[in-house]
């Protein structure tokens, strides 16, 4: 709950800052952070969301895939069920998915994006693992095109 509420607090702080154009705030999340970014998209008017290795659920999903012989849905207190957030937002989303991701199965990522209520785009990284997709130049080029198509300008200022 603290991670989710902190995301809203951070958004509210920056969106009120005089040097920030609140119409162009983009949330970028990786792995566990994709659930937080999806939650924020369901709570605040983001311009877009970029998700590296998104997931549908941790407790009954990702954790179950990693430890199939233990009923993780009942054992983990923090479920991180993200589907409701995906269905509750119209924010454009881009998912970067590694086809060799052994932590978050690509099917989990695709399942979330298929349930995203807003426009969505998927970039599959060939031989991409849970960690290597961040290093793949084509991922960052795809993100730049995605944001450019939404008229979001990336600035160093």
């Amino acid at each position: 709950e603290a991670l989710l509420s902190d995301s809203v607090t951070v958004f509210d702080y920056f969106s009120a800052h005089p040097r920030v154009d609140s119409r162009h705030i983009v949330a970028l999340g990786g792995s566990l952070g994709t659930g937080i970014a999806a939650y924020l998209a369901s709570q605040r008017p983001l311009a877009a969301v970029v998700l590296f290795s998104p997931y549908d659920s941790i407790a009954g999903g990702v954790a179950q895939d990693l430890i199939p012989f233990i009923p993780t849905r009942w054992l983990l207190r923090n479920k991180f069920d993200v589907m409701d957030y995906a269905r509750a937002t119209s924010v454009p989303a881009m998912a970067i998915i590694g086809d060799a991701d052994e932590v978050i199965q690509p099917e989990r990522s695709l399942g979330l994006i298929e349930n995203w209520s807003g426009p969505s785009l998927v970039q599959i990284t060939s031989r991409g693992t849970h960690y290597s997709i961040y290093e793949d130049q084509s991922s960052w080029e795809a993100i730049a095109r995605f944001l450019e198509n939404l008229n979001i300008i990336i600035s160093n200022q």
Side-chain angles (χ1 to χ4, degrees):
E1 290 178 16
L3 291 171
L4 301 177
S5 66
D6 284 353
S7 71
V8 172
T9 300
V10 170
F11 175 90
D12 291 345
Y13 173 81
F14 282 106
S15 66
H17 194 282
R19 293 188 65 188
V20 173
D21 182 350
S22 63
R23 298 168 299 151
H24 292 112
I25 296 176
V26 175
L28 186 147
S31 194
L32 182 64
T34 64
I36 298 162
Y39 171 79
L40 182 60
S42 74
Q43 301 297 307
R44 293 294 186 268
L46 296 172
V49 178
V50 176
L51 308 169
F52 281 84
S53 299
Y55 58 91
D56 52 0
S57 171
I58 292 292
V62 175
Q64 192 67 66
D65 293 343
L66 294 171
I67 315 168
F69 50 88
I70 295 177
T72 58
R73 174 166 285 296
W74 297 317
L75 295 177
L76 296 177
R77 188 175 63 168
N78 296 317
K79 308 292 185 214
F80 285 100
D81 291 324
V82 181
M83 283 296 201
D84 288 341
Y85 309 144
R87 292 180 181 127
T89 182
S90 60
V91 172
M94 177 173 200
I96 308 295
I97 302 168
D99 66 359
D101 192 328
E102 293 181 348
V103 178
I104 298 176
Q105 299 295 319
E107 296 78 26
R108 294 223 170 267
S109 297
L110 292 169
L112 179 75
I113 293 303
E114 288 169 2
N115 283 278
W116 197 269
S117 292
S120 62
L121 181 65
V122 173
Q123 168 83 15
I124 303 288
T125 302
S126 178
R127 296 186 308 267
T129 68
H130 195 69
Y131 308 100
S132 70
I133 58 175
Y134 298 96
E135 300 167 359
D136 187 271
Q137 187 62 31
S138 66
S139 296
W140 295 104
E141 291 167 356
I143 292 167
R145 285 190 306 275
F146 170 69
L147 296 176
E148 182 179 292
N149 288 338
L150 294 171
N151 295 315
I152 300 170
I153 299 169
I154 300 172
S155 172
N156 293 332
Q157 297 180 3

